[in-house]
Amino acid sequence: MLATQQLDLVFGALADPTRRAILSRLAEKEATVNELVEPFRLAQPTISKHIKVLEAAGLVSRGREAQFRPVKLNARPLREASLWIGNYKRFWDESLEQLDTYVKELIEKGE
């Protein structure tokens, strides 16, 4: 899969607050689907659909332990998304620096 397609899937998955909450929960510890259902007011099939979106984005994987299939966080795609966002840090730093300079000029002029 192309890096841009992967990034699209990651940002699409992160766009939903339930999926972000699932990732937060999995950052603490792997969990079964039923364990992930508990904190939400959603049915198990709905949580399963969210997990499939997260799987497609590469953000989670499912293991196999006896009859259980724990869901595990895979943070690597989050790192890639963070690096992509980080590329815009220079832009924001420069923009804020220009704003700071402008505000200081206004203060000096007494405006």
Side-chain angles (χ1 to χ4, degrees):
M1 182 182 303
L2 295 174
T4 55
Q5 291 172 327
Q6 178 67 29
L7 200 54
D8 290 346
L9 290 173
V10 169
F11 283 121
L14 294 175
D16 186 274
T18 300
R19 291 192 288 266
R20 291 192 305 270
I22 290 170
L23 290 177
S24 293
R25 166 59 178 80
L26 293 174
E28 297 170 14
K29 180 180 163 185
E30 66 183 42
T32 64
V33 173
N34 288 333
E35 290 171 334
L36 292 171
V37 168
E38 290 174 15
F40 301 100
R41 294 182 181 199
L42 300 172
Q44 187 270 341
T46 303
I47 294 295
S48 290
K49 287 180 184 179
H50 283 298
I51 291 170
K52 285 181 184 178
V53 172
L54 293 169
E55 272 186 302
L59 293 167
V60 300
S61 62
R62 293 190 198 206
R64 200 171 278 266
E65 295 175 13
Q67 70 269 32
F68 298 106
R69 295 196 63 203
V71 182
K72 301 174 185 180
L73 174 67
N74 176 15
R76 183 174 181 85
L78 292 173
R79 182 177 185 277
E80 300 300 325
S82 176
L83 291 172
W84 184 86
I85 290 170
N87 289 333
Y88 292 91
K89 183 181 182 321
R90 184 176 53 94
F91 167 78
W92 285 109
D93 288 346
E94 289 174 5
S95 296
L96 290 173
E97 192 173 306
Q98 290 173 359
L99 178 61
D100 185 51
T101 301
Y102 177 70
V103 169
K104 286 178 181 175
E105 289 172 5
L106 287 177
I107 292 171
E108 288 175 7
K109 290 180 183 177
E111 295 181 14

